[in-house]
């Protein structure tokens, strides 16, 4: 059974992993968050912990999606999704994911598998996997094209399955803007946590 100290250390580890993945120094994070380098060190070692808001700010300045990191705290599986993990471990991780995602994300996944869109769900997943393995600039090109075509066909009334879940165009635009900013700054990725 994990102690509070164990959980605090794990919380620190996710912040450290995210910073390293974003290729940022502790000094850089401290400057961006307007805190001391010692505070950054303490948060990363688990000596102290940021508030949830401070943690979200950590991921926002790093341009890293916090969801996988937080999910790893709730369900601490280091998954080898290439196939190295047991089917039972994958099933358990998937069950946890489905339990934790929003109802709109559940509707979108159900639409992917059961919607009358005319594409094989397996093929859509393979297309998404190929897309995610591209560097960020070609992914941006694809996103611009899809958003533009969706808006044009939507305005002409020629999209399909209009009674089913539709994309959140505003969220998609924000995601594209964040990805563009990330690409210009030569960052690894982006998140869609809004800056206020």
């Amino acid at each position: 059974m994990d102690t509070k100290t164990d959980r605090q250390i794990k919380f620190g580890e996710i912040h450290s992993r995210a910073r390293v993945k974003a290729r940022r120094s502790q000094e850089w994070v401290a400057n961006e968050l307007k805190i001391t380098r010692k505070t950054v060190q303490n948060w990363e070692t688990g000596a102290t912990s940021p508030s949830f808001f401070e943690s979200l700010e950590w991921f926002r300045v790093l341009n890293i999606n916090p969801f996988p990191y937080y999910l790893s705290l709730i369900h601490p599986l280091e998954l080898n999704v290439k196939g190295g993990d047991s089917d039972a471990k994958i099933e358990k991780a998937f069950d946890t994911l489905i339990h934790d995602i929003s109802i709109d994300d559940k509707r979108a996944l159900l639409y992917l598998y059961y919607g009358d869109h005319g594409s094989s769900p397996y093929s859509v997943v393979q297309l998404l996997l190929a897309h995610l393995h591209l560097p960020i600039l070609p992914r941006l090109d694809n996103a611009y094209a899809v958003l533009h075509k969706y808006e044009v066909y939507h305005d002409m009334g020629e999209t399909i399955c209009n009674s089913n879940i539709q994309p959140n165009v505003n969220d998609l635009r924000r995601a594209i803007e964040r990805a563009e900013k990330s690409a210009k700054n030569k960052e690894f990725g982006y998140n869609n946590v809004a800056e206020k």
Side-chain angles (χ1 to χ4, degrees), residues 57-70:
E57 286 296 290
W58 179 284
F59 286 99
R60 183 188 62 77
V61 299
L62 291 175
N63 242 345
I64 297 270
N65 177 8
F67 182 73
Y69 293 87
Y70 292 148

Side-chain angles (χ1 to χ4, degrees), residues 43-54:
W43 286 357
E44 288 191 356
T45 62
T48 61
S49 290
S51 69
F52 185 66
F53 176 76
E54 289 168 330

Side-chain angles (χ1 to χ4, degrees), residues 15-16 18-41 43-44 55-64 178 181-182 185-189 191 195:
H15 292 93
S16 178
R19 179 185 58 75
V20 169
K21 183 160 193 146
R23 291 179 255 147
R24 297 295 188 179
S25 68
Q26 289 180 336
E27 292 88 354
W28 185 91
V29 172
N31 288 335
E32 289 295 306
L33 294 177
K34 296 178 180 31
I35 58 177
T36 66
R37 183 168 182 253
K38 182 67 174 165
T39 299
V40 170
Q41 290 172 335
W43 286 357
E44 288 191 356
S55 176
L56 284 176
E57 286 296 290
W58 179 284
F59 286 99
R60 183 188 62 77
V61 299
L62 291 175
N63 242 345
I64 297 270
R178 296 297 304 212
K181 181 179 176 184
S182 180
N185 292 332
K186 297 185 179 354
E187 295 168 339
F188 171 77
N191 66 46
E195 274 187 74

Side-chain angles (χ1 to χ4, degrees), residues 17-193:
R17 274 198 341 255
R19 179 185 58 75
V20 169
K21 183 160 193 146
R23 291 179 255 147
R24 297 295 188 179
S25 68
Q26 289 180 336
E27 292 88 354
W28 185 91
V29 172
N31 288 335
E32 289 295 306
L33 294 177
K34 296 178 180 31
I35 58 177
T36 66
R37 183 168 182 253
K38 182 67 174 165
T39 299
V40 170
Q41 290 172 335
N42 287 341
W43 286 357
E44 288 191 356
T45 62
T48 61
S49 290
S51 69
F52 185 66
F53 176 76
E54 289 168 330
S55 176
L56 284 176
E57 286 296 290
W58 179 284
F59 286 99
R60 183 188 62 77
V61 299
L62 291 175
N63 242 345
I64 297 270
N65 177 8
F67 182 73
Y69 293 87
Y70 292 148
L71 188 58
S72 74
L73 291 173
I74 297 165
H75 189 63
L77 286 175
E78 292 295 326
L79 292 175
N80 177 356
V81 292
K82 291 192 306 186
D85 284 319
S86 71
D87 290 350
K89 194 173 183 182
I90 295 295
E91 290 284 349
K92 187 175 180 184
F94 190 78
D95 289 346
T96 300
L97 172 68
I98 290 302
H99 179 267
D100 292 336
I101 64 175
S102 73
I103 194 68
D104 284 341
D105 287 342
K106 289 175 184 174
R107 288 182 204 282
L109 286 173
L110 288 170
Y111 176 68
L112 189 154
Y113 278 91
Y114 298 108
D116 191 18
H117 46 69
S119 295
S120 156
Y122 176 80
S123 298
V124 173
V125 169
Q126 299 313 307
L127 182 64
L128 181 58
L129 284 172
H131 172 79
L132 292 174
H133 283 286
L134 294 174
I136 199 154
L137 284 176
R139 281 191 276 160
L140 261 173
D141 290 341
N142 292 338
Y144 291 136
V146 169
L147 175 61
H148 176 71
K149 288 176 184 175
Y150 172 80
E151 289 179 317
V152 168
Y153 281 94
H154 184 267
D155 290 348
M156 293 183 341
E158 294 186 21
T159 54
I160 61 171
C161 297
N162 290 318
S163 62
N164 214 309
I165 188 167
Q166 299 293 307
N168 184 320
V169 174
N170 290 329
D171 280 354
L172 183 53
R173 274 196 201 102
R174 273 193 298 275
I176 289 171
E177 288 167 8
R178 296 297 304 212
E180 188 176 77
K181 181 179 176 184
S182 180
K184 287 177 181 174
N185 292 332
K186 297 185 179 354
E187 295 168 339
F188 171 77
Y190 69 97
N191 66 46
N192 207 11
V193 177

Side-chain angles (χ1 to χ4, degrees), residues 2-18:
D2 277 356
T3 66
K4 181 180 178 183
T5 302
D6 293 333
R7 291 189 298 275
Q8 198 164 307
I9 290 169
K10 288 177 183 174
F11 198 53
E13 288 171 354
I14 69 167
H15 292 93
S16 178
R17 274 198 341 255

